[in-house]
Amino acid sequence: MSETSTLIGYEGRTIPREALVLVPTPPATETHRPIPHHEVIQALVETLGFRHIGIVHDEYAVSPDGMKLFGALDLETEIEGCRFRSVCATATTRACG
């Protein structure tokens, strides 16, 4: 974990966005189809891009069982001088800011 990390990961580890693809997704059932963490984050990145909001820095932590994802995103808009930090957590695909 970096000294400047906003997110304290499980067991002190954070992972980059690219590593989310390695987190196993539980099997689907008749009534529930889990969405892989990396797909949720990719959709978030695309949606932010549509609104001209870029990600300056991001980091993630996943629970030991792989069922919960926590992330910290440093975002920037194309509006001159506008920069803000947003934190998102996906377990029930909820975003906090």
Side-chain angles (χ1 to χ4, degrees):
M1 182 173 66
S2 108
E3 299 263 336
T4 60
S5 178
T6 302
L7 190 65
I8 298 173
Y10 283 94
E11 300 174 9
R13 291 184 308 220
T14 59
I15 59 174
R17 185 184 326 159
E18 298 77 23
L20 293 175
V21 74
L22 303 175
V23 177
T25 303
T29 67
E30 274 188 41
T31 58
H32 179 68
R33 182 175 95 51
I35 301 170
H37 295 313
H38 71 278
E39 289 182 16
V40 172
I41 298 303
Q42 184 58 38
L44 175 64
V45 170
E46 288 176 13
T47 300
L48 289 170
F50 295 148
R51 288 157 181 80
H52 305 285
I53 299 172
I55 297 176
V56 177
H57 175 76
D58 57 341
E59 57 185 343
Y60 303 92
V62 180
S63 63
D65 63 2
M67 299 298 281
K68 296 178 189 138
L69 168 71
F70 303 92
L73 307 171
D74 191 1
L75 307 175
E76 185 170 57
T77 69
E78 291 184 4
I79 300 170
E80 186 67 33
C82 182
R83 192 160 181 185
F84 52 96
R85 179 166 290 252
S86 178
V87 177
C88 76
T90 63
T92 55
T93 314
R94 180 176 48 167
C96 313

